[in-house]
Amino acid sequence: MAAAASMMPIYGQQISSKNDLVPDWTTQEVSTGTTIMAVEYDGGVVIGADSRTTTGAYIANRVTDKLTRIHDRIFCCRSGSAADTQAIAEVVAYQLGFHSIELDEPPLVETAANLFRASCYRYREELMAGILVAGWDRRKGGQVYCVPIGGMLVRQPVAVGGSGSSYIYGFMDSNYKPGLSKDQCLELTASALALAMERDGSSGGVIRLATISEDGVERRVILGDQLPKFSTH
Amino acid sequence: MATLTMSRPPFGGFSFENCKRNATLEGETSKLGFSLPAARKTGTTICGVVFKDGVVLGADTRATEGMVVADKNCSKIHYISPNIYCCGAGTAADTEMTTQIISSNLELHSLSTGRLPRVATANRMLKQMLFRYQGYIGAALVLGGVDCNGPHLYSIYPHGSTDKLPYVTMGSGSLAAMAVFEDRYKPNMEEEEAKRLVRDAIAAGIFNDLGSGSNIDLCVITKGNVDYIRPHDEANKKGVRLNELEALQLTGDYKYKRGTTAVLTKAISPLDLEVVEESVQTMDTS
């Protein structure tokens, strides 16, 4: 539908007349306007995301899984264009799987993060993808790497991303302390995501959480009615 | 004098050379009051649902060209492989060609592996092709099928993102159809219940969306069996016009009675023809 409706921006005109029968949101790109979060703790990482994917003002998928497995102990949280992030994640998963077989040992989280950064930086003009790479490996334990739009790479103990992240920077700064336990991290993540989902229109649905440690990956879902509540009215 | 022209090897991808020409034409014709022909879109309602033993895919049958219905009974459920079918919304040509290309590649792949193709494979092939063309191929698809891992249903967007869900709708009438699904979907439905649900969802799209209409097609895919029901429901039958005086069916009869046009004068002039040449060609009937 994008093909028939739009042209290269230089000419500024449209080949075919705007069709009233087909509404605007059918021609919009699918975006994960999102809130994603990742926290390191001693022994692993906790990652979380909301579950809303939108095309314009319509929610195309209200139960999206934005926590994508890249390898056994490495996950990524996707935000930005759904098509771009899915494509990148699949390419990186392939590259990392190949690399891991060559090494004959589990890959490093830093390797995965660098593969993401390589794709996101090289094609920075064409892509719209903000990704958090998080996982556990034997060398450095739990790690969180942030690869925002533009293709930067930086390791952080706590990272948030997506359109809803702007609303929870204050909450993060005041409530995160180094040395939290796994359950405290889970509570922090759930609360932060709930607050962001409350305020950001592009975030919502359910909260998906996962803990990654040496023992494996534990996934859980917090449904709408069980979300942490903050408002009293 | 003849000149040799060098032929350039064809480049991959789209050629945007005609865009400037089209822009000029558009400007000139709008000054004269005409409008250029628009690409035919299937302003559509398509949907799919996973039930106990498989998937049910549904689609309407109207194809529009601007505000006019170009095809009252077009088929929007495309064959991908014996166990996988795909509904297409968006630009009609794009959905048709994309599904045909992937169907062909999947058959070759299936012959190479020696196995029945999997829905996830078709999904990967479709999304990678659509992503490569960055949304310029306007194909929004609902892909469903049953393979060795059970029934699967995917929705695929023009830019190349996909969602794996138990029920999906696409097209201009998708909101109406989704409303029906959100109200009445239950996991592990029986086949008849699932067919009724899909039929009602498409009907909601047909009656509440201007871009969808005509009949309802269904495709029920289970392990080892496909029911392609076209049409399942003729929701909009064209009326029959009757002439009360003569009780004749007027629809489709375009012959005028002798005497409709009054004859004013009659003049007959015989033409004298003489035989110039006569040749006989024998026919070989052996």
Side-chain angles (χ1 to χ4, degrees):
Chain A
M1 275 175 273
S6 64
M7 285 169 62
M8 288 157 71
I10 316 169
Y11 300 107
Q13 279 174 299
Q14 295 191 315
I15 289 180
S16 57
S17 51
K18 217 183 226 170
N19 194 343
D20 294 325
L21 292 177
V22 180
D24 281 327
W25 52 260
T26 53
T27 52
Q28 301 263 20
E29 190 178 333
V30 178
S31 117
T32 47
T34 290
T35 316
I36 49 176
M37 183 164 156
V39 190
E40 284 176 21
Y41 68 91
D42 183 23
V45 291
V46 167
I47 55 175
D50 73 305
S51 69
R52 182 171 289 184
T53 321
T54 49
T55 31
Y58 177 64
I59 298 172
N61 187 352
R62 59 182 171 84
V63 287
T64 327
D65 184 9
K66 302 180 191 179
L67 308 175
T68 307
R69 177 193 176 279
I70 304 297
H71 206 263
D72 292 341
R73 300 277 189 286
I74 305 175
F75 271 63
C76 77
C77 310
R78 301 180 289 110
S79 74
S81 155
D84 292 348
T85 54
Q86 281 183 13
I88 298 170
E90 281 165 17
V91 161
V92 171
Y94 164 78
Q95 291 172 328
L96 201 67
F98 195 89
H99 172 73
S100 170
I101 288 172
E102 284 182 318
L103 251 54
D104 196 23
E105 67 178 43
L108 300 173
V109 187
E110 192 172 350
T111 315
N114 270 291
L115 286 170
F116 269 107
R117 196 249 316 131
S119 293
C120 290
Y121 182 72
R122 178 180 286 247
Y123 298 106
R124 57 182 300 168
E125 305 300 332
E126 288 85 17
L127 294 171
M128 192 168 81
I131 296 172
L132 298 179
V133 187
W136 180 93
D137 62 34
R138 262 171 54 114
R139 200 182 288 184
K140 295 185 191 168
Q143 300 143 73
V144 170
Y145 293 88
C146 193
V147 183
I149 295 175
M152 177 184 85
L153 171 62
V154 69
R155 181 181 172 186
Q156 290 175 299
V158 191
V160 292
S163 58
S165 65
S166 358
Y167 303 102
I168 50 173
Y169 278 110
F171 179 80
M172 292 309 313
D173 290 337
S174 55
N175 287 74
Y176 174 75
K177 291 169 273 297
L180 292 171
S181 74
K182 179 174 97 167
D183 290 319
Q184 286 172 317
C185 285
L186 279 166
E187 216 182 286
L188 179 72
T189 310
S191 303
L193 289 171
L195 285 167
M197 282 154 65
E198 186 72 33
R199 285 292 177 177
D200 180 29
S202 316
S203 306
V206 304
I207 294 181
R208 292 197 187 272
L209 293 166
T211 27
I212 311 170
S213 63
E214 183 175 7
D215 307 319
V217 179
E218 252 179 72
R219 301 198 63 147
R220 65 198 79 181
V221 182
I222 303 180
L223 298 177
D225 53 348
Q226 297 151 10
L227 288 173
K229 289 189 202 7
F230 291 93
S231 62
T232 48
H233 53 274
Chain B
M1 199 161 91
T3 48
L4 279 174
T5 46
M6 285 279 284
S7 65
R8 276 185 306 172
F11 294 108
F14 288 119
S15 157
F16 292 105
E17 278 171 8
N18 288 331
C19 288
K20 205 170 178 189
R21 176 205 72 173
N22 291 343
T24 338
L25 277 177
E26 177 103 329
E28 281 177 13
T29 53
S30 63
K31 260 187 274 172
L32 293 167
F34 303 118
S35 65
L36 293 170
R40 194 216 286 192
K41 289 177 169 174
T42 47
T44 289
T45 311
I46 51 173
C47 67
V49 89
V50 174
F51 69 101
K52 197 171 79 176
D53 308 312
V55 299
V56 180
L57 302 174
D60 72 306
T61 59
R62 173 181 289 180
T64 51
E65 208 168 282
M67 280 289 173
V68 178
V69 175
D71 190 346
K72 282 181 285 197
N73 200 359
C74 80
S75 167
K76 299 184 190 180
I77 306 183
H78 309 283
Y79 168 88
I80 301 278
S81 79
N83 59 327
I84 304 172
Y85 278 73
C86 186
C87 311
T91 312
D94 288 346
T95 59
E96 191 72 44
M97 293 316 304
T98 305
T99 48
Q100 281 177 0
I101 289 170
I102 264 65
S103 169
S104 163
N105 289 343
L106 201 63
E107 183 169 353
L108 289 170
H109 185 261
S110 163
L111 286 165
S112 166
T113 59
R115 296 182 167 96
L116 199 65
R118 302 188 189 187
V119 191
T121 316
N123 178 54
R124 266 298 165 103
M125 288 176 164
L126 284 163
K127 80 179 329 190
Q128 283 177 350
M129 179 184 170
L130 290 173
F131 184 76
R132 198 172 356 126
Y133 287 98
Q134 285 291 293
Y136 282 100
I137 293 187
L141 310 166
V142 167
L143 176 76
V146 179
D147 58 27
C148 57
N149 291 333
H152 303 281
L153 186 66
Y154 293 88
S155 66
I156 306 170
Y157 290 84
H159 285 264
S161 61
T162 65
D163 290 310
K164 186 176 193 308
L165 292 164
Y167 55 95
V168 293
T169 64
M170 293 282 244
S172 55
S174 66
L175 260 60
M178 185 52 92
V180 174
F181 276 161
E182 289 284 20
D183 185 30
R184 284 159 46 186
Y185 170 81
K186 293 188 306 290
N188 291 107
M189 285 183 289
E190 294 298 329
E191 180 174 327
E192 281 313 308
E193 204 186 337
K195 278 163 72 173
R196 254 198 315 270
L197 181 63
V198 171
R199 185 247 157 237
D200 288 344
I202 300 293
I206 286 174
F207 292 119
N208 298 95
D209 172 46
L210 293 178
S212 312
S214 301
N215 311 323
I216 300 170
D217 288 350
L218 282 192
C219 185
V220 184
I221 311 173
T222 50
K223 196 174 174 64
N225 184 48
V226 173
D227 276 331
Y228 194 96
I229 312 167
R230 177 175 153 79
H232 174 259
D233 209 321
E234 285 191 31
N236 300 110
K237 235 189 167 119
K238 189 172 179 176
V240 176
R241 278 167 38 236
L242 278 179
N243 184 328
E244 282 86 33
L245 289 171
E246 294 164 9
L248 274 175
Q249 202 170 319
L250 285 180
T251 322
D253 188 5
Y254 295 108
K255 264 207 169 82
Y256 292 98
K257 287 197 314 297
R258 201 179 269 277
T260 308
T261 310
V263 178
L264 297 176
T265 49
K266 223 192 238 186
I268 305 174
S269 42
L271 293 168
D272 291 322
L273 299 169
E274 46 179 86
V275 180
V276 175
E277 194 197 313
E278 194 174 324
S279 63
V280 177
Q281 205 169 44
T282 51
M283 191 165 74
D284 195 346
T285 53
S286 57

